[in-house]
Amino acid sequence: MMKTRLRLLYLLVVSSAILSAQQPKKPTASEIHESIKKLNFLGSVLYVAAHPDDENTRLISYISNEVKARTAYLSLTRGDGGQNLIGPEIRELLGVIRTQELLAARRTDGGEQLFTRANDFGYSKHPDETLAIWNKEQVLSDVVLAIRQFKPDVIINRFNHRNPGTTHGHHTSSAMLSLEAFDLVGDKNAYPNQLSNVQTWQPKRLFFNTSWWFYGSREKFEEADKSNLLEIDTGVYFPSSGLSNPEIAALSRSQHKSQGFGSTGSRGSQIEYIELLKGDLPSDKSNIFDGIDTSWNRIEGGKAIGDILYAVQKNYDFKNPSASIPELVRAYKAIQNLTDLHWKTIKTKEIKDIIAACAGLYLEATTATNHASAGSTVDLNIEVINRSSAQITLASLVNPNGIKIEKNLKLDNNTDFEFKETLTINSNQKVSTPYWLTKKGTLGMYAVEDRALIGKPETPRTLSITFNLSIENLQIPYTKPLVYKTNDPVKGEVYKPFEIIPEASAKISEKVIILDSDQQHDIEVVVKAGRDNLEGYVQLAHPKNWNVYPEKQKIHITNKGQEDRLIFTVIPPKEQSEGLFTPMVHIGDKIYTKELIEIDYDHIPFQTVLLPSESKIVRLDIQKRGENIGYIEGAGDVVPESLKQIGYNVAVLKPEDISAENLEHFDAIVVGIRAYNTVEALKFKQQILFDYVAQGGNMIVQYNTNRGLKVDEIAPYDLKLSRDRVTDETAKVELLAKQHEVLNVPNKITEKDFEGWTQERGLYFPNEWSDDFTPILAMNDQGESQKTGSLLVAKHGKGYYIYTGLSFFREFPAGVSGAYRLFANMLSLGKNNIETNLPIKN
């Protein structure tokens, strides 16, 4: 019963968090009262770390919901370099997903979200490497800018700046940059170009969110000097929501679904420790704001506003929130006279939302379609209702083109008004896409041309309706973005952002095409119409040594949203070669070369992304043995599709499909990345798989982490995983077992096959194994010892067991030739009709 109740609470909170990004909020009387408390607190905290999921949601939720401070998380990256447990998106698209997951987390725990331009290029072993790839000066300037914009009284670092090289380089770098920025933000000579838009600022304190883990053990932490530490009990309970702070924090952390960070809520006291790094130590060690004025008195003209609003808080009527509206309107008017623009902007937004909530105002502008192109016309439905006795009039509406529509309509209590309007979208309207992806950046940095966008979590919505309301005889404007609303037979009311898309977009159906001969090959180009009656023609941009027929093809698409599929014949060169192919859609005098990508998951808002439309086509010199591959999926990768590219028949196997009878049909079984971390049922299937190998089968297991293994034994012989990895994708690779079958047939593998690898060589290599295994390769990052566990091969009975931490799941989508050739050799083991080499002992 308790689990059911918590599940219902979870669904209510999370579904509300997801929808609140687009639909009007509908706060309860208790939530309104909590908002009034927050309105009366003028203090801010900035939490700083490196990636989505690094943030301490317990502390963020506590500061936001218990202390009532304005709280934000500055994530230096968007998490592009990680793995995706929910789908095939990686790199930029994964960054888009994780950005939205962070926003969903903040909607859950009450915080705000900020970023820098740093790109998560993957694991880094030292901050020196991190800051060289990131461009330290640019990222530091972004951290300084974030602090100057947010103006926190307190900054809290998630990581320790004092232990470079002992943890992820991004983590340490985030702390180092925060520490350096603390001393720069108040200096007018530091990044003076920022000061045309923001002012200098000096936070009062900088903390490090420490714990026993950073001390090595609980025992060492107990013995440590804690005189410089603050102790905060974040385990408080909120009767207004029926949830404890740790339960809210767990709901927040569970938004990081692409990383598999679902978290179970807890109850009771939970102590967080923060260590003072800069500033003065509070006398009250349970209060990070001790000695800082967080009342309205902190700003000029604030006392009079505080006198009004503290009385509103004290006299609030939970049965009739609208009774507070006259005094709230009086305070709103006074806030407009403040000279402190920072707090004026923040508190204006907060009090407007509270007034609307007290009045039960519902303001909405929806479209009849979820996307349109510039210059087109869309129908709008506008709804407005006042569900209170407050005197409210809709004076006018202002559409996205700035056209004012007079209404002068008295909004009587609980009388719903709907209006139909037509909007012609400006022909110069920019398309909807993440702003940090509009221009090609570097390995470590996003390129952002519009400096006003730096740090923002997403591209601002510019298409909106402004409702000019007269509330208690005072003009108050409310601006609402256009959204698309529809009814789903299962989900009910569903919202999507209203997006501007190009009139034409195109893609080649496959992002990587591997051709194993010089025979002609047909490829499919998909053209999507962003408007009705799209006419033009399509060409393919391609390398000079490749031929394409026909040179161009006409298109005519009648309806917006429809697709036309065209077949082009590609004739590859005789020798091994590779290149990028781009569809070019000619419409009038315009050429469109971008692909429209849609990301649709239930836990985040629908996302539209425009990226350069490129497919890599490789004329690959490759041979292979065997045809039928069984693939056991793990945490999500495109290896099955990639193997199909080179001619294998691939069947995806569910755990219940794994039986001796079924496995005998396959030439090899491949276990997907982190399958032993994510698929519980595999622990009951291991012996069947090992028996399959013993009977002559071939089994390839891709990387797993040593934490959270679901199986007792990952191999038929002793094998111990570690955290060893080689992050330099250009690191020298030494061929240890040069005569081994896996390096010689059917493809001769040389060091050249390791050129062009992306992001990393591999990760989570074994560091201990039995003599039954043969280590094939050696590699290492600069300054480290050789790692020989990236590819291990063992003969087991009549077959072969292979464990590899090489990052095939990254190399295949990038079309890395050598990765395909090596994997084909692994799949071909035992099928080459040659005398098997004796294993080379480790």
Side-chain angles (χ1 to χ4, degrees), residues 136-156:
K136 177 189 173 183
E137 275 305 302
Q138 287 187 13
V139 182
L140 178 59
S141 76
D142 289 0
V143 176
V144 169
L145 178 63
I147 296 172
R148 286 172 171 174
Q149 289 176 330
F150 192 74
K151 294 190 174 182
D153 299 298
V154 175
I155 298 175
I156 303 176

Side-chain angles (χ1 to χ4, degrees), residues 68-257:
K68 303 301 181 189
R70 183 171 176 245
T71 312
Y73 173 41
L74 173 60
S75 177
L76 269 58
T77 76
R78 297 175 185 268
D80 310 62
Q83 285 83 50
N84 184 0
L85 300 189
I86 61 173
E89 297 88 356
I90 57 174
R91 294 303 308 156
E92 295 92 344
L93 297 180
L94 178 58
V96 173
I97 291 173
R98 290 190 171 179
T99 293
Q100 291 300 321
E101 289 179 337
L102 271 176
L103 289 170
R106 299 294 79 78
R107 289 192 293 271
T108 304
D109 59 34
E112 300 176 38
Q113 187 61 52
L114 305 172
F115 292 96
T116 75
R117 288 171 290 173
N119 190 351
D120 177 8
F121 56 84
Y123 192 85
S124 176
K125 292 182 176 179
H126 199 281
D128 288 349
E129 177 196 42
T130 299
L131 296 174
I133 294 175
W134 272 355
N135 186 327
K136 177 189 173 183
E137 275 305 302
Q138 287 187 13
V139 182
L140 178 59
S141 76
D142 289 0
V143 176
V144 169
L145 178 63
I147 296 172
R148 286 172 171 174
Q149 289 176 330
F150 192 74
K151 294 190 174 182
D153 299 298
V154 175
I155 298 175
I156 303 176
N157 290 346
R158 182 69 183 102
F159 297 107
N160 192 352
H161 67 282
R162 295 163 293 205
N163 59 351
T166 62
T167 184
H168 198 324
H170 297 184
H171 292 170
T172 311
S173 296
S174 70
M176 294 169 64
L177 292 171
S178 176
L179 194 78
E180 190 170 348
F182 186 91
D183 294 330
L184 293 175
V185 291
D187 182 356
K188 65 180 180 181
N189 295 314
Y191 307 107
N193 59 312
Q194 298 177 358
L195 300 180
S196 59
N197 298 310
V198 296
Q199 298 175 321
T200 58
W201 177 253
Q202 186 55 59
K204 300 295 191 298
R205 294 166 186 143
L206 173 65
F207 293 98
F208 160 44
N209 184 193
T210 189
S211 71
W212 69 264
W213 188 87
F214 291 97
Y215 286 75
S217 69
R218 295 183 185 275
E219 291 73 22
K220 290 181 180 179
F221 182 63
E222 289 297 324
E223 297 170 358
D225 178 12
K226 299 185 180 62
S227 59
N228 213 34
L229 270 59
L230 273 65
E231 184 176 310
I232 303 170
D233 187 351
T234 62
V236 296
Y237 172 69
F238 301 116
S240 58
S241 65
L243 294 170
S244 70
N245 186 67
E247 285 174 324
I248 294 174
L251 294 174
S252 174
R253 188 160 182 78
S254 295
Q255 300 309 306
H256 296 297
K257 298 185 187 303

Side-chain angles (χ1 to χ4, degrees), residues 179-405:
L179 194 78
E180 190 170 348
F182 186 91
D183 294 330
L184 293 175
V185 291
D187 182 356
K188 65 180 180 181
N189 295 314
Y191 307 107
N193 59 312
Q194 298 177 358
L195 300 180
S196 59
N197 298 310
V198 296
Q199 298 175 321
T200 58
W201 177 253
Q202 186 55 59
K204 300 295 191 298
R205 294 166 186 143
L206 173 65
F207 293 98
F208 160 44
N209 184 193
T210 189
S211 71
W212 69 264
W213 188 87
F214 291 97
Y215 286 75
S217 69
R218 295 183 185 275
E219 291 73 22
K220 290 181 180 179
F221 182 63
E222 289 297 324
E223 297 170 358
D225 178 12
K226 299 185 180 62
S227 59
N228 213 34
L229 270 59
L230 273 65
E231 184 176 310
I232 303 170
D233 187 351
T234 62
V236 296
Y237 172 69
F238 301 116
S240 58
S241 65
L243 294 170
S244 70
N245 186 67
E247 285 174 324
I248 294 174
L251 294 174
S252 174
R253 188 160 182 78
S254 295
Q255 300 309 306
H256 296 297
K257 298 185 187 303
S258 65
Q259 301 181 75
F261 282 152
S263 181
T264 300
S266 60
R267 290 142 294 281
S269 176
Q270 290 193 3
I271 304 299
E272 290 288 338
Y273 295 93
I274 54 175
E275 175 191 355
L276 183 71
L277 300 178
K278 288 181 178 288
D280 62 306
L281 186 69
S283 299
D284 179 359
K285 288 193 172 185
S286 65
N287 180 11
I288 60 175
F289 287 101
D290 184 47
I292 300 173
D293 188 353
T294 57
S295 72
W296 279 99
N297 295 333
R298 79 177 291 172
I299 57 177
E300 184 180 352
K303 184 180 183 305
I305 298 170
D307 290 342
I308 298 170
L309 291 177
Y310 296 134
V312 169
Q313 179 179 326
K314 180 180 179 181
N315 300 321
Y316 179 75
D317 186 348
F318 285 84
K319 293 184 178 180
N320 182 23
S322 65
S324 299
I325 291 177
E327 290 300 284
L328 286 168
V329 170
R330 190 158 73 96
Y332 169 85
K333 185 176 181 179
I335 290 171
Q336 305 318 298
N337 297 322
L338 290 174
T339 57
D340 187 318
L341 296 181
H342 175 72
W343 284 113
K344 175 183 176 180
T345 301
I346 294 167
K347 295 304 176 181
T348 292
K349 181 182 182 305
E350 288 181 9
I351 199 168
K352 282 173 60 175
D353 290 343
I354 292 170
I355 291 170
C358 287
L361 272 177
Y362 188 92
L363 308 172
E364 186 175 74
T366 60
T367 59
T369 178
N370 69 315
H371 53 68
S373 59
S376 62
T377 300
V378 295
D379 293 327
L380 306 181
N381 184 72
I382 299 170
E383 181 180 2
V384 56
I385 184 171
N386 164 32
R387 289 170 288 187
S388 75
S389 58
Q391 300 301 306
I392 302 177
T393 300
L394 174 62
S396 62
L397 300 170
V398 180
N399 78 5
N401 295 328
I403 298 174
K404 191 173 184 179
I405 306 166

Side-chain angles (χ1 to χ4, degrees), residues 823-838:
F823 210 93
N825 280 17
M826 292 157 58
L827 291 169
S828 301
L829 270 179
K831 304 174 183 65
N832 295 299
N833 297 320
I834 63 172
E835 184 177 347
T836 304
N837 293 283
L838 293 174

Side-chain angles (χ1 to χ4, degrees), residues 684-712:
F684 305 114
K685 301 295 182 176
Q686 279 294 78
Q687 193 55 52
I688 298 174
L689 291 167
F690 296 159
D691 290 345
Y692 159 79
V693 177
Q695 294 301 314
N698 194 350
M699 180 178 177
I700 300 173
V701 178
Q702 298 176 87
Y703 97 91
N704 291 269
T705 64
N706 55 7
R707 295 176 60 185
L709 284 170
K710 307 294 185 184
V711 298
D712 297 326

Side-chain angles (χ1 to χ4, degrees), residues 418-433:
E418 293 193 40
F419 313 102
K420 302 294 183 183
E421 299 288 345
T422 300
L423 172 68
T424 298
I425 299 168
N426 192 302
S427 60
N428 296 321
Q429 181 66 44
K430 292 183 178 180
V431 294
S432 305
T433 195

Side-chain angles (χ1 to χ4, degrees), residues 33 47 62 78 128 148 167 212 232 256 266 304 314 318 402 476 494 496 528 570 599 628 664 703 754 795 827 830:
H33 188 241
Y47 198 90
Y62 174 85
R78 297 175 185 268
D128 288 349
R148 286 172 171 174
T167 184
W212 69 264
I232 303 170
H256 296 297
S266 60
K314 180 180 179 181
F318 285 84
I476 303 178
V494 174
K496 290 183 179 180
K528 186 169 185 176
V570 173
I599 301 175
N628 300 314
E664 66 183 16
Y703 97 91
F754 294 93
K795 192 80 163 60
L827 291 169

Side-chain angles (χ1 to χ4, degrees), residues 45 59-69 71 156 288-289:
V45 174
L59 201 51
I60 289 175
S61 177
Y62 174 85
I63 295 169
S64 177
N65 296 306
E66 174 66 11
V67 180
K68 303 301 181 189
T71 312
I156 303 176
I288 60 175
F289 287 101

